Amino acid sequence: MLACLACAVLAVSAGCRSTRGAGTSPTPLDGEVSVCGLATVDQIQQNTGRQIEEFTINNSSHRSGIFGFECQIYMVSQRGIDTFALEVSTTFSDSVRTVPAASTFEKVAAAPNAEPVTLDSVPGQGAVIPDDDGRAVLVWSYPDTDTVATLKRTHPRPPAGPRLFQDVADLEDLFTLIGPAAPQAADGPEQSWSMYPTDDRNSAPTP
């Protein structure tokens, strides 16, 4: 678990995951716990059909007025643990390696390998674009602001072919729920990397 706490950048944290033993059954989280200020555990589990094992949060949104909000949600799946990583920033995330760092949303949406996305519950406009590893990345631009959110699945490494389409569907389903609250969560209290639930090696609770 400490390995995940050391991840300070989403692009780097894509290689981090829970270190719980493979044969250890996770203790269910309280369903009313807020996951990074985005939605409750119950809401996300009902929306995705997956059990949340743990989640991590980092928020440096109040440094120079630039959002730097990251939330990683670790969910149990048939393949092991899937990690869904959300980042909110005021400049385009450089974790999408197929486009220039700090590119505008308009340039991302106009890329040849980008597909437009419309979600009724989330204000703004979106696009899906693959990263260099073939993972689908949902990129969302909120109206009347320079705030952009990215959501991607970072584990396990995706197989080639049709799996990309399932990734897109999963990202859209999750973002439909957590996307509306993302800018407000990023505008919340500053917080260094912390994990929920806590244990003896990670005693600082997530608010």
Side-chain angles (χ1 to χ4, degrees):
M1 293 171 67
L2 292 178
C4 290
L5 301 180
C7 300
V9 180
L10 186 60
V12 175
S13 64
C16 300
R17 61 171 298 171
S18 170
T19 56
R20 295 181 189 273
T24 303
S25 298
T27 301
L29 291 170
D30 185 328
E32 296 303 312
V33 167
S34 174
V35 178
C36 303
L38 300 167
T40 67
V41 168
D42 272 351
Q43 288 172 328
I44 294 177
Q45 290 183 159
Q46 291 169 7
N47 177 270
T48 62
R50 295 181 175 93
Q51 178 184 326
I52 297 177
E53 182 187 43
E54 60 196 25
F55 62 88
T56 60
I57 182 173
N58 179 60
N59 192 0
S60 56
S61 295
H62 298 280
R63 296 178 183 174
S64 303
I66 298 175
F67 283 173
F69 177 89
E70 300 157 79
C71 177
Q72 297 183 49
I73 306 171
Y74 300 80
M75 297 186 190
V76 179
S77 73
Q78 292 180 343
R79 298 185 303 271
I81 299 295
D82 278 355
T83 305
F84 291 86
L86 173 75
E87 180 175 349
V88 183
S89 63
T90 51
T91 56
F92 181 68
S93 168
D94 63 3
S95 64
V96 183
R97 307 279 180 194
T98 52
V99 296
S103 179
T104 64
F105 172 79
E106 287 73 19
K107 290 182 179 178
V108 173
N113 54 351
E115 296 290 339
V117 172
T118 301
L119 300 174
D120 292 338
S121 69
V122 189
Q125 55 183 329
V128 169
I129 190 169
D131 67 8
D132 283 346
D133 293 320
R135 297 184 179 95
V137 183
L138 175 63
V139 186
W140 196 267
S141 176
Y142 292 89
D144 305 319
T145 178
D146 58 355
T147 301
V148 174
T150 61
L151 179 65
K152 68 187 297 184
R153 186 205 310 264
T154 62
H155 291 290
R157 293 187 65 84
R163 181 66 210 173
L164 180 64
F165 297 101
Q166 183 59 51
D167 279 350
V168 172
D170 289 346
L171 295 178
E172 290 181 355
D173 285 347
L174 180 56
F175 198 75
T176 293
L177 177 63
I178 68 175
Q184 291 76 19
D187 200 28
E190 185 171 341
Q191 182 175 355
S192 298
W193 277 106
S194 57
M195 179 174 287
Y196 193 95
T198 60
D199 63 15
D200 291 341
R201 294 170 295 172
N202 177 42
S203 57
T206 298

